[in-house]
Amino acid sequence: MMVRFLILFLAAATFYGCGNDETGADASETAEAYPADLQRMQGQWQAVSTNVFCMCEAIIVGPTIRLRYQLTPDSSVLKRNVSIRNVDEARKMLVMYDGLGAWTYDLRPADGAEGLELRFFDEINREWAQVLLIKVAVDGVQ
């Protein structure tokens, strides 16, 4: 129970920010510097369908995607943080740093909410993962 609380606290602290903003710019000013599709991706997302994982959640803050996922209900929760180097909106690709190649994406409605489909290579299973996520409302705002 304590571990779950700690994970939720860290996720909330990461999402809302808990450090000093050295640039003096607020979050809305910073987000406006990103391409339009990346601006729409900002926030918390929860999987509604996936071809590989039994559970998947994502938090996208700035150019960073933080994934939490489980391969099976009995397995450990795995975490993966990736940084986006470039967004190619014409080809719907997120080019990653650190030689991780590119992830494809599609922003579209899903289950009556804003949806984000991500497709990327899962190094653990050595196969292509496809995850359809919906934006999670935070304090009634989506």
Side-chain angles (χ1 to χ4, degrees), residues 8 22 37 40 46 57 88 96 98 101 108 118 128 141:
L8 291 173
E22 296 179 12
D37 281 355
R40 287 181 53 201
Q46 183 174 359
E57 301 170 343
D88 184 340
M96 302 300 177
D98 299 327
R108 59 185 171 88
L118 294 174
W128 285 95
V141 177

Side-chain angles (χ1 to χ4, degrees), residues 119-140:
R119 291 170 299 281
F120 57 93
F121 190 73
D122 174 37
E123 289 85 9
I124 294 172
N125 285 330
R126 309 293 302 159
E127 65 181 305
W128 285 95
Q130 183 171 345
V131 181
L132 178 59
L133 304 142
I134 57 169
K135 197 166 234 182
V136 177
V138 178
D139 296 331

Side-chain angles (χ1 to χ4, degrees), residues 9-23:
F9 174 77
L10 291 174
T14 302
F15 180 73
Y16 288 109
C18 58
N20 293 331
D21 185 4
E22 296 179 12
T23 64

